[in-house]
Amino acid sequence: MNAGILGCGHYVPEKILTNHDLLIMGLETSDEWISDRTGIKERRVLDEGMASSDMAVEAAKMAIASANLTPHDIDLVIVATTTPDYQAFPSTACLIQDRLGLRKVGAFDIAAACTGFNYALTTAAQFVNTGQARYVLVVGVDCLSKYVNWEDRSTCILFGDGAGAVVVGKVLQGYGLLAADLYADGSEADILKIEAGGSKKRVGKDVAERSIAMNGKAVFKVAVSTIVPAIIHTLNKVDLTPGDIDYFIPHQANLRIINHAKDKLGLADEKVATNIQKYGNTSAASIPLALSESLCEGKISDGSLVVLAGFGAGFTWGVNVIRWGGIVS
């Protein structure tokens, strides 16, 4: 047996914020400018008074049901997020555990920004493979709309809110998570960050200090130089090549980055998940959201070789290679 994904779920807020809406808000930009540079046409925005856990619970319910399990079956909860309900504690994972009515099992958060789901999924697989847990709920969730400066057109156009979830358990040998690699380069920490809010600098009145700050050119350069070599390396570990990929789910940060990876890997458009046009960058939710939608649309089938690749602040990046299916009935 091997650790694999048994079920998936996703959730996005009802409120849609289009590029045209941003113009009405007074942002000096245009739909054409945003679309050409990012591929984004609209994004979802969470209502005031709601938080990451609200989205995560809905995605988790769908994932557990998809796996033909009940909340009582879950042995561990891992949540990838950089927008927790509370700044320090309790963890969002604990809040989700309570709201789902789970047993008093372990629950913790992982913070690896947009690569968070790759980190969380890889961690969950270790618990399953070592026998520490039978079923692990993994959630990627972020509401970065609450952390943007709506007067900064270089960042506020990019981010949206959402959640994706999977249940990890044992599948037949030869299926499931075949290989994974996680990376970080702290020397690039300054290219994408929120200055204030942690122990280094308390939150003040300056909106810019408590909002996302990004060096877009630097992020683009690091992303395109790291992600494809990482994918090839992880595939090579299990004697596979880009030609073996049936479906590629990259982090939805920028359509130009997605297309760069697609072209370098030699993949056809239909083999690549893209939903950035309607959701923007949902950070840790990006990959599981696209995964769950792709499954619902029938784009992944039993036996498909699926590659998940994330990259984000830290700077972090990671790859998961999965042979889909092998679920024991």
Side-chain angles (χ1 to χ4, degrees):
M1 305 293 287
N2 190 37
I5 295 175
L6 308 181
C8 297
H10 64 278
Y11 176 84
V12 292
E14 292 184 4
K15 182 179 179 180
I16 298 174
L17 187 68
T18 68
N19 291 345
H20 181 67
D21 291 330
L22 294 175
L23 304 184
I24 295 174
M25 291 166 56
L27 196 67
E28 293 186 2
T29 185
S30 68
D31 174 64
E32 183 181 14
W33 190 90
I34 297 172
S35 298
D36 288 347
R37 285 162 177 77
T38 69
I40 300 169
K41 300 294 288 186
E42 59 188 40
R43 68 285 294 151
R44 299 298 179 98
V45 177
L46 193 63
D47 290 340
E48 287 297 325
M50 298 187 72
S52 289
S53 66
D54 295 300
M55 296 188 291
V57 165
E58 297 306 315
K61 287 178 180 177
M62 181 178 175
I64 293 170
S66 172
N68 294 316
L69 298 172
T70 69
H72 188 76
D73 294 313
I74 302 300
D75 301 310
L76 178 68
V77 182
I78 305 176
V79 176
T81 185
T82 44
T83 59
D85 284 28
Y86 299 100
Q87 181 177 327
F89 47 78
S91 73
T92 302
C94 286
L95 303 177
I96 294 168
Q97 177 211 40
D98 174 61
R99 289 181 58 183
L100 289 174
L102 307 185
R103 294 174 289 117
K104 292 180 174 59
V105 297
F108 60 90
D109 292 355
I110 284 179
C114 302
T115 321
F117 183 75
N118 302 90
Y119 272 67
L121 178 62
T122 304
T123 303
Q126 314 312 309
F127 278 92
V128 171
N129 284 333
T130 59
Q132 289 292 308
R134 188 178 183 190
Y135 299 117
V136 181
L137 174 64
V138 179
V139 181
V141 59
D142 272 308
C143 49
L144 286 172
S145 69
K146 295 178 182 290
Y147 294 86
V148 297
N149 178 354
W150 291 106
E151 296 180 357
D152 178 10
R153 74 171 188 172
S154 68
T155 57
C156 75
I157 63 172
L158 301 175
F159 299 99
D161 305 334
V166 301
V167 174
V168 179
K170 288 196 173 182
V171 297
L172 294 175
Q173 191 66 33
Y175 291 86
L177 190 64
L178 304 182
D181 284 302
L182 304 175
Y183 304 88
D185 181 2
S187 69
E188 301 284 3
D190 286 340
I191 65 176
L192 182 54
K193 66 180 180 180
I194 296 177
E195 186 73 29
S199 59
K200 186 176 180 65
K201 191 169 189 178
R202 298 288 297 275
V203 174
K205 295 182 180 180
D206 189 341
V207 173
E209 288 186 344
R210 60 178 187 268
S211 303
I212 298 169
M214 182 180 70
N215 181 334
K217 290 183 179 180
V219 170
F220 184 90
K221 181 179 179 180
V222 176
V224 298
S225 66
T226 57
I227 199 64
V228 172
I231 292 168
I232 293 172
H233 174 76
T234 309
L235 287 168
N236 287 342
K237 288 169 63 175
V238 284
D239 298 321
L240 295 169
T241 69
D244 295 308
I245 298 173
D246 293 307
Y247 204 63
F248 175 45
I249 305 180
H251 168 47
Q252 307 289 303
N254 185 297
L255 189 58
R256 290 185 297 164
I257 297 176
I258 295 172
N259 286 336
H260 170 85
K262 177 196 70 174
D263 293 342
K264 287 291 184 181
L265 294 169
L267 299 177
D269 289 347
E270 60 268 20
K271 288 191 173 186
V272 183
T274 52
N275 61 13
I276 187 173
Q277 67 279 3
K278 57 182 180 177
Y279 299 134
N281 182 348
T282 55
S283 191
S286 171
I287 291 174
L289 172 55
L291 172 61
S292 182
E293 279 200 334
S294 297
L295 281 167
C296 292
E297 295 166 1
K299 295 180 178 178
I300 300 171
S301 56
D302 197 73
S304 293
L305 186 75
V306 181
V307 173
L308 315 179
F311 52 88
F315 196 86
T316 59
W317 64 104
V319 179
N320 300 103
V321 175
I322 301 167
R323 180 68 68 184
W324 200 262
I327 298 174
V328 181
S329 58

